[in-house]
Amino acid sequence: MKHVARKRFGQNFLHDRFVLDDITAAIGPQADDAMVEIGPGLGAMTEQLLRHLKQMHVVELDRDLIVRLEKTFNPAKLTIHSGDALKFDFAQIPVPAGQKLRIVGNLPYNISSPLLFHLADFAPLVQDQHFMLQKEVVERMVAEPGSKAYGRLSVMLQWRYKMSLLFIVPPTAFDPPPKVESAIVRMIPVAERLACDQATLEAVVMKAFSQRRKVIRNCLAGMFTEEQIKAAGIDPTLRPETVGLEQYVALANLLKAPQ
């Protein structure tokens, strides 16, 4: 019986074999990897990965899909976690000594940003992440200062990860086809990220980009004086999208420093 994709779960199922092969090649699964897939859907990517892995884990919210996965895959090879990836504790996935998690998935467009921020909390436990996302979201993730796509998502994720857009996936690769192009992104946690309090950095970045057409002096008014902005190595007349990660970290550390 054909599963009807559900809009509330943001379901678009990847079926193009060539794209599946390209994604598998980009991931490069090894037999003993501690692999977990978010939102396996009908199991097309799961099947591909299990050709290379001894076993893997998946996190799925849709009960009908869980039943289908249980009927399709050997439980000795596939462990299914029923639940919402936005609330899932990825630290509970067992990992062999000396290894880290490898996380993959075709992430629902409607929850992609909050899910990426949730996953960032587990970055120290992760070797790498490979995700299919809306192309526009990936472009924002990897954007450099000065780009129109550069913003809060860019800064906060680049503080945690080194990221690269690997390739574009057309709507025709999915059923049903989405109205936008998708892209594959590789995310590798930064071994030693810039020292900074996360909540403070988040507050600074959020305020800076809340009025991105204004100069940063005006955006951060009430949080920093012009002298403090200069002390962080920033020209107060610049716009927020031209200020780099290191400078935002400097601002956050300035705010967090004892007065």
Side-chain angles (χ1 to χ4, degrees), residues 117-138:
F117 283 121
H118 174 63
L119 287 164
D121 292 337
F122 302 96
L125 309 176
V126 172
Q127 175 183 323
D128 58 22
Q129 298 175 162
H130 291 82
F131 295 133
M132 174 115 61
L133 289 156
Q134 187 173 337
K135 186 181 77 165
E136 181 185 335
V137 174
V138 177

Side-chain angles (χ1 to χ4, degrees), residues 20-247:
L20 285 163
D21 287 343
D22 288 344
I23 296 172
T24 304
I27 295 169
Q30 303 298 309
D32 294 317
D33 284 345
M35 188 81 69
V36 54
E37 181 182 9
I38 297 171
L42 299 174
M45 192 74 240
T46 317
E47 181 183 350
Q48 287 271 117
L49 292 170
L50 280 174
R51 292 175 187 169
H52 305 272
L53 301 167
K54 291 179 182 176
Q55 59 178 343
M56 67 178 286
H57 296 254
V58 296
V59 181
E60 178 56 63
L61 180 61
D62 189 328
R63 284 298 311 165
D64 290 344
L65 288 176
I66 290 171
V67 171
R68 184 182 286 254
L69 292 166
E70 288 171 341
K71 291 178 179 177
T72 304
F73 295 98
N74 181 347
K77 294 203 70 175
L78 186 70
T79 301
I80 302 170
H81 301 269
S82 173
D84 186 348
L86 277 170
K87 302 173 184 174
F88 187 74
D89 178 9
F90 287 85
Q92 70 176 273
I93 303 286
V95 178
Q99 285 187 233
K100 291 189 174 185
L101 286 174
R102 304 194 69 195
I103 306 178
V104 302
N106 175 14
L107 303 190
Y109 296 160
N110 55 344
I111 61 164
S112 57
S113 292
L115 184 51
L116 288 168
F117 283 121
H118 174 63
L119 287 164
D121 292 337
F122 302 96
L125 309 176
V126 172
Q127 175 183 323
D128 58 22
Q129 298 175 162
H130 291 82
F131 295 133
M132 174 115 61
L133 289 156
Q134 187 173 337
K135 186 181 77 165
E136 181 185 335
V137 174
V138 177
E139 287 172 341
R140 286 165 51 205
M141 291 165 68
V142 305
E144 296 182 357
S147 161
K148 287 183 179 179
Y150 183 75
R152 171 176 171 256
L153 193 67
S154 321
V155 176
M156 294 309 300
L157 290 181
Q158 289 173 25
W159 180 55
R160 290 277 196 178
Y161 304 95
K162 289 189 179 300
M163 298 179 291
S164 52
L165 189 161
L166 300 184
F167 55 90
I168 307 299
V169 180
T172 51
F174 299 89
D175 181 25
K179 295 178 181 178
V180 294
E181 287 185 306
S182 302
I184 304 297
V185 64
R186 175 179 289 142
M187 307 174 68
I188 300 175
V190 175
E192 292 185 22
R193 67 176 186 261
L194 297 171
C196 181
D197 176 70
Q198 179 176 335
T200 307
L201 180 61
E202 177 74 38
V204 171
V205 172
M206 188 172 289
K207 187 167 175 60
F209 285 99
S210 63
Q211 303 177 81
R212 60 184 298 143
R213 302 307 301 165
K214 292 187 176 182
V215 299
I216 198 161
R217 173 183 57 214
N218 294 341
C219 294
L220 297 178
M223 184 177 274
F224 296 97
T225 64
E226 184 166 334
E227 289 69 30
Q228 287 176 314
I229 293 171
K230 288 179 180 177
I234 303 168
D235 179 344
T237 64
L238 292 176
R239 285 182 173 169
E241 66 263 30
T242 64
V243 176
L245 168 62
E246 295 82 0
Q247 293 166 310

